[in-house]
Amino acid sequence: PCSCSARFRRFEEDGAGEACWAQEHVAATSEGMMIACIAAVAIDGDSIRCRNLGQVRLLGIDAPDRASSRPCREGFGDHVCSDAGAARAKAALRSALRLGPVRLKAAGRDRYGRLLAIGHAGGTNLNCRMLKVAGVRYIARYDNGGQVARACGL
């Protein structure tokens, strides 16, 4: 068995250790664990995709959805439906992901099987940063144990 903690730094420098992360990422996604998100890409304003972890939903926040999205078309919940707002939030998250290596503090999984997490890029808390983007809202029922509220001073 490999030791991801011992190999992580080398992975960041030259790509070694990817197999280690792939083997052990399931164990590392237990609540409270900090894990690396490899090759992070913004899916929308509140979700990212990591090559090693799949889709990740940022805990406690809700960004506007495109009007053509399923939640907006079918009237699910209290979604904010705005093409401009959705584009603005996705661009802001994409920009934030460039601030440094992306690390995630796992907070469980949602009903769709996505990892729920508080994200960090460099030294920046992604969840808190996204709450400063127009249209992105804090949703207490999406915040397991109030973790985002505490981290962001809400």
Side-chain angles (χ1 to χ4, degrees), residues 14-142:
D14 66 8
E18 183 173 3
C20 176
W21 279 105
Q23 287 173 352
E24 296 184 6
H25 83 272
V26 173
T29 59
S30 60
E31 287 190 38
M33 295 290 295
M34 288 295 287
I35 54 177
C37 169
I38 299 168
V41 176
I43 296 171
D44 56 27
D46 51 31
S47 300
I48 62 175
R49 179 170 288 111
C50 305
R51 186 173 67 210
N52 58 322
L53 301 170
Q55 192 169 343
V56 178
R57 179 79 154 90
L58 295 177
L59 186 67
I61 69 170
D62 185 47
D65 293 303
R66 293 181 337 181
S68 63
S69 70
R70 186 172 179 210
C72 291
R73 283 192 332 266
E74 298 181 11
F76 296 157
D78 61 350
H79 291 272
V80 173
C81 302
S82 164
D83 289 340
R88 186 172 41 253
K90 182 177 179 178
L93 184 53
R94 185 182 303 126
S95 176
L97 292 173
R98 295 184 190 121
L99 295 173
V102 177
R103 308 261 193 297
L104 303 170
K105 180 180 178 191
R109 293 200 177 262
D110 69 8
R111 64 183 173 191
Y112 305 109
R114 297 177 295 187
L115 179 66
L116 298 169
I118 294 178
H120 296 270
T124 301
N125 182 310
L126 295 172
N127 304 57
C128 298
R129 181 179 173 117
M130 290 306 297
L131 285 170
K132 296 176 183 173
V133 174
V136 177
R137 308 174 296 162
Y138 171 74
I139 307 287
R141 71 179 180 274
Y142 296 172

